[in-house]
Amino acid sequence: MSLTQKASTGFSFFFLVNLICFASPSSSATDTFIYGGCSQIKFLPGTAYEMKLNSILASVVNSAMFTTYNNFTVPGSSGGADTLYGVFQCRGDLSGTDCAQCVSRAVSRLGTLCLDACGGALQLDGCFVKYDNATFLGVEDKTVVMNKCGPSIGYDSEGLTRRDAVLSYLGTSDGAYRPFRVSGAGNVQGVAQCVGDLSPSECQDCLSDAVGKLRASCVTSIWGDMFLAKCYARYSEGGYHSQGHDHDDDDDGDDDLDRTLAILIGIIAAAALLVVFLSYFKKYLCGDDCDIKGGK
Ligand SMILES: *[C@@H]1O[C@H](CO)[C@@H](O)[C@H](O)[C@H]1NC(C)=O
Ligand SMILES: *[C@@H]1O[C@H](CO)[C@@H](O)[C@H](O)[C@H]1NC(C)=O
């Protein structure tokens, strides 16, 4: 295969990645960034760890077209520290296309945010993606990861009553397994969800905890977000879809910045993928005695 052929393969790949990432630019609030975090420990680029991570992330993106939750495990060669785990969870009301789009954006943002980190987690409005080589699948984790409260409602006792009704519904068990909950009273709306790897009782326990913490920290706030490591609860006046940035005074500037950043990150991620793809391809073609930097 000639160099030009390789380059054109690379180019269509680049194009495809961009197409996936920007098929319908900022059409919904699902891409709104909530939080992201990476492990301190880094892996060496070009090692088996990177290959496994790429395969986990590719599986996550593919699977999101067909289901709103899935988990993945890539066993290590020695069975121990190099086993990799991955999970994604879409908001319960997303369609397959919206879920797939949200997850692919989350994965491309993780690629730049957590470059070479052994573990990473990212929550967008519509989906959650996490990977690590430490076991976290099926483990209930109620660590507060992100908590924000809006401005105070003031002395609006009716508003607070409605808010409390919404929160009670979100946090209370009716005996059924409900990992995704939506609730509304008047103009107050709420949403809560846990990641699909929790058992029904762990899910309930996590949601009760999130709602309790949300109530305690956002006492009289007009909106509030409480994200624990494995579940979250949120409420707002006027709908949870438009909360967060929309309550800031400078939301237009923020949104523009987000969009520019997202495009930039997408391009960088695509370029990084291209490099990985080409070097892998080259190794595959000419074996180990191939000099990556040779280019001939
Ligand atoms: C994850 O991988 C890193 C790098 O190989 C290693 O130092 C660390 O101990 C591993 N963590 C776990 C929990 O196995
Ligand atoms: C992980 O996925 C497998 C099959 O996809 C499923 O059987 C298993 O219950 C899942 N594990 C957890 C902890 O959700």
Side-chain angles (χ1 to χ4, degrees):
M1 191 183 257
S2 78
L3 198 65
T4 35
Q5 269 173 303
K6 272 189 258 175
S8 76
T9 315
F11 243 101
S12 48
F13 186 65
F14 179 84
F15 180 68
L16 189 70
V17 168
N18 270 309
L19 207 65
I20 291 167
C21 293
F22 305 114
S24 51
S26 65
S27 56
S28 61
T30 58
D31 305 331
T32 307
F33 178 85
I34 311 266
Y35 69 79
C38 322
S39 68
Q40 298 277 318
I41 309 171
K42 301 220 161 193
F43 62 80
L44 289 173
T47 53
Y49 199 103
E50 183 168 44
M51 292 287 212
K52 278 187 287 186
L53 179 55
N54 288 341
S55 108
I56 282 243
L57 294 180
S59 308
V60 160
V61 170
N62 286 331
S63 179
M65 294 177 203
F66 309 106
T67 171
T68 54
Y69 160 79
N70 214 344
N71 73 76
F72 302 89
T73 303
V74 178
S77 42
S78 52
D82 50 351
T83 300
L84 247 170
Y85 308 90
V87 73
F88 75 89
Q89 174 71 64
C90 281
R91 208 173 62 206
D93 57 353
L94 289 197
S95 69
T97 6
D98 286 345
C99 177
Q101 190 182 45
C102 183
V103 166
S104 79
R105 289 192 188 195
V107 164
S108 87
R109 285 186 90 150
L110 267 173
T112 36
L113 184 74
C114 298
L115 187 68
D116 298 345
C118 283
L122 187 83
Q123 175 82 56
L124 301 182
D125 188 277
C127 62
F128 170 74
V129 175
K130 177 173 176 157
Y131 65 88
D132 206 347
N133 64 336
T135 328
F136 62 89
L137 286 176
V139 178
E140 190 186 356
D141 184 350
K142 296 188 277 186
T143 314
V144 176
V145 186
M146 206 286 285
N147 170 219
K148 268 189 190 164
C149 303
S152 174
I153 288 175
Y155 295 104
D156 176 6
S157 69
E158 275 184 39
L160 288 177
T161 307
R162 284 196 294 268
R163 196 274 312 264
D164 286 343
V166 164
L167 288 187
S168 305
Y169 178 83
L170 294 180
T172 311
S173 166
D174 63 2
Y177 173 51
R178 292 180 299 130
F180 177 65
R181 303 172 184 186
V182 180
S183 170
N187 58 344
V188 181
Q189 287 189 296
V191 62
Q193 184 165 31
C194 46
V195 181
D197 63 336
L198 298 187
S199 72
S201 61
E202 288 169 335
C203 175
Q204 178 55 44
D205 181 61
C206 192
L207 290 180
S208 308
D209 198 62
V211 167
K213 284 174 171 147
L214 181 58
R215 204 194 294 271
S217 71
C218 302
V219 185
T220 62
S221 296
I222 200 164
W223 59 267
D225 290 344
M226 180 60 72
F227 283 83
L228 310 185
K230 279 291 175 76
C231 70
Y232 67 79
R234 324 173 70 180
Y235 74 89
S236 77
E237 262 187 45
Y240 62 88
H241 285 297
S242 60
Q243 80 184 36
H245 288 292
D246 292 350
H247 295 273
D248 295 338
D249 293 326
D250 57 344
D251 66 332
D252 285 346
D254 265 11
D255 282 355
D256 279 351
L257 195 67
D258 274 0
R259 206 163 302 145
T260 315
L261 208 64
I263 290 171
L264 209 65
I265 285 168
I267 290 169
I268 293 168
L273 273 172
L274 178 67
V275 169
V276 170
F277 178 76
L278 281 180
S279 60
Y280 177 75
F281 208 60
K282 190 155 189 184
K283 240 187 199 156
Y284 176 76
L285 279 181
C286 42
D288 279 340
D289 32 50
C290 190
D291 178 8
I292 302 267
K293 286 180 189 150
K296 284 180 212 116

